[in-house]
Amino acid sequence: MPNVSLPHDHGQSIEQELAHMPSVENFQTVAEIFKQLGDGSRLRIFWLLCHCEECVINLSAMVDMSSPAVSHHLRLLKSAGLIVSRRDGKEVYYKAAPTEQAETFHHMIEWLVKIACPTPANHN
């Protein structure tokens, strides 16, 4: 990144950080993933799929939602690359994608739940 001449000099050097700052496109990708996870129902479905492989009907029962609603969330999660599917006969099974991205978001969700929703067990 070229030397940036800032309008105000606050006595700090930011050039090194600017040189390592991710691209605008990278930040946009992250924002798109956060949009996918910005819905509580979608978060619950993703969290479940990090722990098991399931079909739409069972997921619907687990989260108390209609199958079309669950299917909608699954399409969005799949388009974000956070889940994968496999067909076995007429049934389609879903699970978290075997990627560092999906694993990181799973850990982040669990961490945020732990700090945002403290329980007596979390204080030990």
Side-chain angles (χ1 to χ4, degrees):
M1 170 163 254
N3 246 353
V4 177
S5 178
L6 298 177
H8 297 186
D9 181 1
H10 296 293
Q12 60 184 352
S13 176
I14 193 79
E15 286 82 15
Q16 188 171 2
E17 287 77 12
L18 287 173
H20 291 70
M21 186 166 72
S23 70
V24 172
E25 294 81 14
N26 287 349
F27 280 114
Q28 189 57 42
T29 298
V30 171
E32 290 300 320
I33 293 168
F34 275 118
K35 282 184 195 175
Q36 296 307 319
L37 296 175
D39 179 280
S41 296
R42 208 160 23 253
L43 277 173
R44 288 174 42 212
I45 292 167
F46 176 68
W47 185 89
L48 281 168
L49 294 176
C50 289
H51 295 273
C52 64
E53 180 181 59
E54 272 303 343
C55 65
V56 173
I57 298 297
N58 284 355
L59 284 168
S60 298
M62 290 175 180
V63 296
D64 194 27
M65 293 174 65
S66 70
S67 292
V70 169
S71 293
H72 170 74
H73 290 300
L74 291 170
R75 274 191 301 280
L76 294 172
L77 289 167
K78 193 170 183 183
S79 72
L82 294 173
I83 65 168
V84 294
S85 63
R86 71 172 178 86
R87 182 174 289 280
D88 186 3
K90 292 183 178 184
E91 203 69 66
V92 178
Y93 294 90
Y94 298 88
K95 67 179 182 176
T99 63
E100 184 179 357
Q101 178 189 46
E103 185 177 325
T104 299
F105 274 100
H106 174 230
H107 291 305
M108 184 177 64
I109 291 165
E110 290 197 334
W111 180 76
L112 288 169
V113 167
K114 186 176 180 179
I115 64 167
C117 311
T119 64
N122 290 341
H123 290 275
N124 293 334

